[in-house]
Amino acid sequence: MEISAHCSFCEHKEFDFAKGNLCGLTSQKADFIRKCSKITFDENAKEEIAKINLEYKFLQDQKTKVIGHLILFSIIGVSVILADIYFTQVLYEAGWISTGSVIGIAFGIGFIGYAFTPYIKYTNTNSVVKSQKQRMDNFFSLYDYSYDINYEDENYLTAVTLRRSKQKIR
């Protein structure tokens, strides 16, 4: 994880338009290897945790709707195509030749495309958000912290509980 990502969770972060992210303790750019010995977690960390986890939870809640949409409109699309093929055969046997079959197949393909659009968007967004959550969880495990979230609480400061996850052995 980049050094600036550590700073986004720290309470000591400061921002200067000329220099970028600075450490509030030293007024210099952060300079450490792997992890910062002076990092402090409180409001900034809770805000980032809440933001990433709420987005992750929202996507998980959308999964059933997206899959239902995919199944429903795929079935409609395939049904339109099959019905079009059947009616085209019936009309041909009756002596009619029609371009309606092309239009019916186009509508069927349109329904199938409509079925897959939200699913593709969901999978792309889900992979990004899962990656963000995984990086954040790895980040906190680097500092031996874990967190709990009460999704019912609308105030992220009280909804997120940070705690040490491991006892240090001396």
Side-chain angles (χ1 to χ4, degrees):
M1 183 173 259
E2 291 182 22
I3 290 176
S4 62
H6 289 250
C7 298
S8 68
F9 290 99
C10 183
E11 288 305 304
H12 303 299
K13 79 172 180 179
E14 289 183 0
F15 183 76
D16 182 335
F17 284 107
K19 296 180 182 178
N21 286 328
L22 301 175
C23 178
L25 298 174
T26 62
S27 296
Q28 300 291 321
K29 285 217 177 252
D31 185 26
F32 55 85
I33 298 173
R34 195 161 182 262
K35 65 185 205 178
C36 177
S37 62
K38 295 179 168 90
I39 197 164
T40 304
F41 300 121
D42 196 25
E43 287 184 25
N44 290 336
K46 288 180 178 183
E47 182 178 2
E48 289 292 319
I49 290 169
K51 182 179 82 173
I52 291 171
N53 278 285
L54 284 173
E55 192 172 353
Y56 180 75
K57 184 179 183 314
F58 174 76
L59 279 171
Q60 297 311 307
D61 293 345
Q62 293 296 312
K63 185 176 185 177
T64 305
K65 284 171 139 179
V66 169
I67 291 174
H69 183 272
L70 173 70
I71 292 169
L72 176 68
F73 283 97
S74 292
I75 289 171
I76 291 171
V78 169
S79 299
V80 167
I81 291 172
L82 293 176
D84 181 62
I85 291 170
Y86 172 75
F87 287 118
T88 300
Q89 287 178 344
V90 169
L91 288 174
Y92 183 73
E93 290 172 2
W96 290 77
I97 297 176
S98 172
T99 59
S101 62
V102 174
I103 295 169
I105 290 174
F107 271 108
I109 291 171
F111 276 115
I112 293 171
Y114 182 69
F116 276 90
T117 302
Y119 179 74
I120 292 168
K121 182 179 178 190
Y122 168 80
T123 55
N124 290 341
T125 306
N126 192 40
S127 68
V128 169
V129 171
K130 267 186 178 177
S131 172
Q132 286 177 333
K133 183 173 173 9
Q134 185 64 46
R135 278 195 308 265
M136 181 183 68
D137 290 344
N138 290 342
F139 168 79
F140 280 108
S141 68
L142 176 69
Y143 287 98
D144 298 325
Y145 273 87
S146 62
Y147 58 87
D148 292 317
I149 300 176
N150 176 5
Y151 290 104
E152 303 299 318
D153 193 345
E154 292 183 12
N155 181 357
Y156 67 87
L157 292 175
T158 55
V160 177
T161 306
L162 277 167
R163 63 182 170 353
R164 283 286 204 188
S165 56
K166 299 175 187 170
Q167 293 292 333
K168 300 235 179 196
I169 300 172
R170 292 183 179 184

